[in-house]
Amino acid sequence: MSQVFSEETHRNLLSRIPHCTGREVSDWLRTVDEGPALFRFEEKVSWLRGEHNLAYGHAKAIIHEHDLRRAARHLSQPRTP
């Protein structure tokens, strides 16, 4: 079972990603968009870790942020009758 981060921990991890990885969070989110079509959260985290050599916490924060933004985009789209 995966560890759940608090919102504060999530934001702190996101803020450190550019310094630790040399890439902005937006670049990582684009990488996830362009990556393989994996379904499960932990599969996406494992892919980021293996393919891009990220620490577990950073990979998890990136995938969580990606999922949050995708859900927000989905909710903001108008519903068709």
Side-chain angles (χ1 to χ4, degrees):
M1 175 159 284
S2 65
Q3 170 185 350
V4 176
F5 294 141
S6 70
E7 184 63 27
E8 180 181 1
T9 300
H10 175 67
R11 293 288 157 215
N12 286 337
L13 280 167
L14 285 180
S15 71
R16 289 195 307 263
I17 285 172
H19 174 73
C20 295
T21 68
R23 291 177 61 186
E24 294 297 321
V25 172
S26 59
D27 292 337
W28 286 113
L29 297 175
R30 198 168 21 263
T31 297
V32 174
D33 281 335
E34 296 168 356
L38 301 171
F39 180 71
R40 292 181 38 226
F41 183 87
E42 287 297 330
E43 289 175 326
K44 295 175 193 177
V45 171
S46 293
W47 172 75
L48 265 184
R49 292 185 72 207
E51 191 71 22
H52 298 283
N53 199 30
L54 290 176
Y56 177 73
H58 291 146
K60 186 173 176 179
I62 290 165
I63 297 301
H64 181 62
E65 187 66 19
H66 182 267
D67 289 351
L68 287 173
R69 291 184 186 195
R70 186 182 62 208
R73 283 191 308 264
H74 178 71
L75 289 174
S76 68
Q77 293 176 351
R79 298 183 82 163
T80 56

